[in-house]
Amino acid sequence: MEILDKIIEILEGIKEPKTGQSITLLKMIRDLKVENENIYLNIYLPSSDYPFKSELYSAIHDLLNKEFPLHKVHAHFVNKSAFSEAPNLLLPQIKNFIAIASGKGGVGKSTCSVNLAIALQKLGLTVGLLDCDLYGPSLPTMLGIQSLRPKVQNIQSQNKLVPIEVHGIPSLSLGNIIEPEQAVVLRGPRLAAIIKQFFQDALWPDLDYLVIDLPPGTGDVQLTLVQTIPLTGAVIVTTPQQVAVIDAIKASNMFLMDQIAVPVLGVVENMSWFQPSDMPDKKYYLFGEGGGERLAELTESSFFGKIPIIEKIRERADSGKVFEVNSDEIYGKIYLEIAERIHKKVTLRNMMMMPTKKVEQA
Ligand code: ADP
């Protein structure tokens, strides 16, 4: 793993000259493989007459050779557009769709979605938030935007929703569109139509990440989602106890099914221990220990980290002040470290695995 970490770091630091963006973020590096003393990778060019071909080749070759003098670097060009990838025709301006999932409700999935989106933004990435937890949309509360309604813009005689921007993060939630009481009565086809609208009829800007808060468990929303966009990967949130982990395995298995084939990137363990604010050195393991790591092992994914139960996290989330938690030195760091691990895993996923394909409707 160590060598891969170093390779990511080196490649991430190389900027595509025209856009100034990292070549890894632009998904120009694919098919990465390290075998014995060989590093294989393909460089996907945006066009056949791409002017910075040799410049990029030298940068990649030289930097990798310098870091790994005992390895042989095999870098080849692939003349296939890295920018207009076929599987994501609907929203090509969004580079990564990350679903935040859980086995059951109340484990802190929405709180994690919002805080991780903010933390990813702190890493210098452009991030949007989509609340697909249609039965209990809590994103507007956490962002403190319950009273706002998304604007509607008419483009080529079609009405489009403009995501509501909070601290530079565009967001959409059913909670900003209808009253919460109305949401609970939504069923199958209506749900599917709303999910589709969030993608097809919304004006999302260029984003490195769209963080998608899913409803707990497996159901219509999850299915519609994978039929609408190619999910880059899923992050599973669980609490440490056995019962939560059992449900979380079911949620993970849905993504891993052959027909769906969305990679489970890893696991975040929330509510790992209780940490009283007046005794920050004390840790009470209210829900047991080790569930998150076990889930990561069982799903052969990464363990991204643990978040303790902290009064301030709940207080700030419930009163629309999540940004405050993230600027707190201690709590903010917890989310930032997890976001760093997620970003690294996504970068690696994009370099080593094929892009996800949208699931075709039967
Ligand atoms: P879910 O989306 O899984 O249903 P939520 O994110 O809505 O769960 O969280 C449920 C409740 O737990 C909320 O009141 C939230 O503020 C609180 N909560 C979540 N994570 C933590 C944490 N680490 N510490 C304290 N409270 C938390």
Side-chain angles (χ1 to χ4, degrees):
M1 190 63 198
E2 226 168 60
I3 178 163
L4 288 176
D5 280 352
K6 198 71 212 169
I7 294 176
I8 296 179
E9 198 183 306
I10 291 170
L11 296 177
E12 202 174 17
I14 302 175
K15 304 275 182 275
E16 192 282 322
K18 188 156 164 260
T19 57
Q21 283 194 301
S22 152
I23 55 171
T24 55
L25 204 54
L26 291 171
K27 301 182 188 168
M28 292 179 76
I29 304 295
R30 301 279 179 91
D31 317 313
L32 174 70
K33 215 165 47 181
V34 181
E35 266 175 16
N36 304 321
E37 263 68 64
N38 295 292
I39 301 172
Y40 300 93
L41 58 91
N42 285 328
I43 310 166
Y44 278 53
L45 298 177
S47 61
S48 51
D49 55 354
Y50 180 68
F52 308 106
K53 199 169 161 175
S54 53
E55 194 177 316
L56 268 191
Y57 185 83
S58 312
I60 293 166
H61 224 265
D62 295 353
L63 289 171
L64 288 177
N65 273 327
K66 194 167 151 225
E67 183 64 35
F68 306 106
L70 302 178
H71 284 70
K72 186 162 167 40
V73 179
H74 310 259
H76 298 289
F77 290 110
V78 175
N79 271 337
K80 197 172 147 190
S81 168
F83 302 106
S84 58
E85 191 79 54
N88 182 20
L89 287 176
L90 180 59
L91 290 164
Q93 75 274 32
I94 300 180
K95 297 192 184 79
N96 296 291
F97 299 92
I98 306 294
I100 312 286
S102 73
K104 50 193 209 122
V107 299
K109 174 187 44 58
S110 303
T111 315
C112 282
S113 304
V114 176
N115 280 296
L116 289 173
I118 299 171
L120 283 167
Q121 189 196 37
K122 278 189 161 174
L123 296 177
L125 299 155
T126 49
V127 188
L129 255 172
L130 176 61
D131 188 356
C132 282
D133 194 348
L134 301 186
Y135 300 108
S138 47
L139 197 133
T141 309
M142 294 186 187
L143 295 174
I145 53 167
Q146 301 97 308
S147 58
L148 300 186
R149 297 280 172 268
K151 291 200 171 66
V152 175
Q153 244 182 51
N154 194 282
I155 291 177
Q156 290 169 344
S157 61
Q158 280 192 319
N159 283 336
K160 301 275 181 187
L161 286 171
V162 184
I164 302 173
E165 201 168 305
V166 195
H167 291 270
I169 298 184
S171 73
L172 273 182
S173 169
L174 193 65
N176 290 112
I177 298 170
I178 62 172
E179 297 303 323
E181 311 80 73
Q182 287 174 280
V184 291
V185 298
L186 291 170
R187 289 290 173 270
R190 181 90 182 89
L191 274 184
I194 293 169
I195 297 289
K196 289 213 157 94
Q197 246 184 327
F198 280 155
F199 293 99
Q200 290 164 353
D201 303 328
L203 295 173
W204 290 105
D206 283 357
L207 295 174
D208 297 328
Y209 284 98
L210 183 64
V211 175
I212 305 169
D213 184 14
L214 291 184
T218 55
D220 287 351
V221 170
Q222 282 81 349
L223 196 62
T224 307
L225 192 67
V226 294
Q227 288 171 340
T228 311
I229 43 138
L231 277 182
T232 312
V235 172
I236 315 290
V237 179
T238 185
T239 47
Q241 72 269 43
Q242 187 62 21
V243 281
V245 173
I246 292 169
D247 285 339
I249 292 171
K250 289 185 205 149
S252 315
N253 284 345
M254 184 203 76
F255 291 111
L256 298 172
M257 281 163 66
D258 282 350
Q259 314 85 296
I260 294 188
V262 169
V264 170
L265 302 168
V267 175
V268 174
E269 189 185 270
N270 191 34
M271 309 191 182
S272 299
W273 64 83
F274 172 58
Q275 189 171 318
S277 48
D278 49 349
M279 289 184 287
D281 298 333
K282 284 250 185 239
K283 288 182 177 180
Y284 295 95
Y285 293 87
L286 305 180
F287 301 128
E289 281 183 78
E293 282 106 328
R294 212 158 41 244
L295 181 63
E297 259 170 49
L298 290 167
T299 52
E300 294 175 13
S301 67
S302 303
F303 184 63
F304 291 135
K306 299 175 188 225
I307 305 161
I309 301 176
I310 296 166
E311 206 179 348
K312 201 168 166 185
I313 292 184
R314 188 207 52 76
E315 217 176 77
R316 296 297 185 267
D318 291 352
S319 58
K321 293 179 182 151
V322 273
F323 283 88
E324 251 179 54
V325 173
N326 275 269
S327 44
D328 182 288
E329 212 179 306
I330 301 166
Y331 312 139
K333 198 165 155 243
I334 299 175
Y335 288 113
L336 200 63
E337 283 176 0
I338 295 176
E340 267 168 357
R341 292 186 197 120
I342 293 176
H343 176 54
K344 209 184 235 181
K345 182 70 187 266
V346 171
T347 306
L348 200 59
R349 178 251 176 274
N350 289 338
M351 288 198 287
M352 298 186 88
M353 295 171 77
M354 295 294 284
T356 309
K357 286 200 177 75
K358 202 176 81 175
V359 175
E360 292 307 324
Q361 252 166 298

